[in-house]
Amino acid sequence: MKKSVEDLEVAGKRVLVRCDFNVPQDEDGNITDDRRIREALKTIKYLLEHKARVILCSHLGRPKGEVNPKYSLKPVAKRLSELLNMEVKMADDVIGESAHSLASSLQDGEAMLIENVRYDAREEKNDPEFSKELASLAELYVNDAFGTAHRAHSSTAGVADYLPSAVGYLIKKEIDVMGKALENPERPFVAILGGKKVSDKISVIENLIDKVDSLIIGGGMSYTFFKAQGKEVGTSICELDKVELAKELLAKAAEKGVKLVLPVDNVVVQEFSNDAASKVVSSNEIPEGWQGVDVGPKTIELYREVLKDAKTVVWNGPVGVFEFDNFAKGTNEVAKILSELDGATTIIGGGDSAAAIEKGGYSDKMTHISTGGGASLEFLEGKILPGIDCIQDA
Ligand code: AMP
């Protein structure tokens, strides 16, 4: 188990906290969604209430190692000050004179933010000198940026070589909920994997097949599996070089007694657009020249049946081209079915699935919505995340 922020003696200490303040902004630099800032408040407030001197850091966008006002964290400091109802001081640089002088004059229960760590090209290289310079700002390090925990950068991993460390509340919850689901799930354990390509999800499928009772596969990935079963897929997205692998996965699921659930019917179109004329066909009858863009109504009923007794559910990836409103039904229905499950632990991998849950207004009904898309996928693959691995054990 990793040390958490509550395991540190923080009073009077300068604590460097890596947050994920990579927020969307409009052309004038106004923050259009401050969710990530709000999510970081729990750890920040804990530290302030316990009289720490809080030095916040994050990346924002891709400034590619150069100072660029477009990617400045100044608007984040302003928003943080409003949310915390106190001034969060903004440094003019990352680890220059301004950051050092603000850090050394910080009082107990005060907070500051340094500039975008990616202004320095050494950040993404996990350069030991840069990590050491970052560490010199503080006496303790807390990582609470799950969204970048799969990256070994200076502020997400390297800095922990030079300071006593702990995870914040956000990362702790990710480890507690997703870790338990993978190690010791309440059963039946059902995983729903959607998305475009089998090739992006191979490691997740391989890792989960050893752990789940049922594996629902939807979205573009389905068609490579159909091909492996000898079905015709029309012009549906299909990775011919992954058909053999799909056959092996089907065989592995059968051998392990895992129910692998593929769509039984599909919404198909001839033209890839929201307004295309569509029809529903069974998975054995996808016509030549047509492509699958969503699961059909019988498949949704099948999902409902498979999920009804589930005690643990993990969902990653849309089961159709949900960016097109007309073909978002399957994905929205999955979100709805999960929101209606009674007494199940429901875990939503970040990105598209989280967006569908939010759009449906079901966020409060989920046990956990991961704060990192790429990171949660790597977690589900069973990989060790550098941003968590670097933290001291409790
Ligand atoms: P991923 O990033 O792998 O989770 O894939 C998400 C993408 O998969 C979304 O942009 C969806 O539009 C796409 N997708 C889902 N189902 C299909 C499908 N049947 N055909 C093409 N793309 C799909």
Side-chain angles (χ1 to χ4, degrees):
M1 207 161 80
K2 293 297 176 185
K3 266 195 182 165
S4 98
V5 63
E6 292 180 16
D7 298 322
L8 297 174
E9 288 294 335
V10 299
K13 297 271 172 58
R14 277 173 285 122
V15 187
L16 180 71
V17 189
R18 176 51 156 105
C19 298
D20 180 2
F21 292 145
N22 186 28
V23 288
Q25 286 169 289
D26 65 17
E27 278 172 15
D28 301 325
N30 301 306
I31 297 167
T32 52
D33 179 357
D34 67 355
R35 187 167 47 98
R36 287 185 172 152
I37 303 176
R38 283 183 282 109
E39 282 170 345
L41 292 178
K42 189 172 174 190
T43 296
I44 299 171
K45 280 184 178 165
Y46 172 87
L47 289 167
L48 293 173
E49 279 160 17
H50 289 79
K51 307 263 177 296
R53 304 172 178 204
V54 181
I55 304 167
L56 302 164
C57 70
S58 174
H59 77 286
L60 176 68
R62 294 171 190 270
K64 303 200 173 122
E66 281 171 21
V67 175
N68 180 342
K70 189 173 159 215
Y71 300 107
S72 170
L73 283 166
K74 285 195 177 84
V76 173
K78 187 165 167 269
R79 187 76 194 108
L80 266 171
S81 303
E82 289 161 6
L83 290 166
L84 289 166
N85 218 357
M86 60 178 268
E87 191 196 0
V88 174
K89 294 170 188 166
M90 183 69 215
D92 292 329
D93 48 30
V94 186
I95 39 161
E97 226 181 276
S98 167
H100 274 285
S101 106
L102 274 185
S104 56
S105 64
L106 212 56
Q107 300 297 307
D108 297 357
E110 286 187 349
M112 62 175 276
L113 175 60
I114 60 171
E115 259 302 0
N116 191 337
V117 282
R118 290 193 189 166
Y119 276 1
D120 195 308
R122 296 173 296 172
E123 158 69 3
E124 290 184 75
K125 296 191 180 109
N126 198 13
D127 179 287
E129 269 310 310
F130 182 63
S131 304
K132 213 167 160 178
E133 285 177 39
L134 268 179
S136 74
L137 289 172
E139 295 151 284
L140 298 168
Y141 168 67
V142 170
N143 190 6
D144 210 18
F146 186 70
T148 47
H150 56 317
R151 307 271 182 236
H153 296 169
S154 283
S155 70
T156 63
V159 66
D161 287 344
Y162 306 99
L163 292 174
S165 57
V167 294
Y169 288 110
L170 276 180
I171 291 197
K172 183 168 166 40
K173 189 173 175 222
E174 301 275 359
I175 304 175
D176 286 353
V177 182
M178 282 208 281
K180 175 169 184 280
L182 294 180
E183 275 158 35
N184 188 19
E186 247 193 285
R187 294 185 182 277
F189 178 13
V190 183
I192 309 164
L193 293 179
K196 207 166 187 170
K197 297 189 196 152
V198 177
S199 48
D200 292 337
K201 305 272 161 96
I202 295 168
S203 312
V204 191
I205 300 174
E206 282 175 341
N207 189 35
L208 289 179
I209 240 172
D210 285 329
K211 304 181 193 298
V212 297
D213 299 293
S214 301
L215 179 57
I216 293 176
I217 291 193
M221 278 198 291
S222 322
Y223 305 100
T224 303
F225 282 90
F226 286 175
K227 201 79 179 169
Q229 292 175 322
K231 295 183 173 118
E232 290 306 325
V233 298
T235 52
S236 305
I237 185 165
C238 178
E239 292 169 280
L240 291 175
D241 60 334
K242 293 290 177 291
V243 172
E244 275 315 305
L245 178 84
K247 279 186 193 166
E248 284 166 28
L249 292 169
L250 286 166
K252 193 171 173 195
E255 184 192 311
K256 296 208 167 261
V258 170
K259 197 167 162 195
L260 203 143
V261 183
L262 288 163
V264 290
D265 59 353
N266 314 267
V267 178
V268 294
V269 294
Q270 281 177 300
E271 183 201 320
F272 193 73
S273 80
N274 184 45
D275 303 317
S278 65
K279 59 182 181 179
V280 175
V281 297
S282 101
S283 298
N284 291 316
E285 292 167 343
I286 299 177
E288 212 177 293
W290 292 71
Q291 77 174 105
V293 285
D294 198 3
V295 294
K298 286 194 182 132
T299 304
I300 293 168
E301 283 320 302
L302 178 63
Y303 288 175
R304 203 183 301 285
E305 187 57 31
V306 174
L307 286 162
K308 83 175 185 313
D309 300 320
K311 284 283 168 281
T312 306
V313 183
V314 171
W315 179 25
N316 184 291
V319 297
V321 185
F322 86 119
E323 294 91 340
F324 293 155
D325 278 352
N326 289 337
F327 308 120
K329 186 159 198 300
T331 301
N332 292 339
E333 284 293 322
V334 170
K336 184 155 181 274
I337 294 169
L338 296 194
S339 77
E340 289 164 357
L341 291 182
D342 231 1
T345 299
T346 43
I347 302 169
I348 313 303
D352 298 336
S353 332
I357 291 284
E358 224 169 276
K359 196 171 145 215
Y362 308 126
S363 302
D364 293 349
K365 301 250 166 65
M366 302 298 133
T367 310
H368 180 63
I369 300 177
S370 178
T371 52
S376 81
L377 203 59
E378 291 201 14
F379 203 107
L380 296 176
E381 286 172 3
K383 282 195 189 152
I384 292 168
L385 308 188
I388 296 175
D389 195 40
C390 70
I391 301 298
Q392 288 174 320
D393 289 318

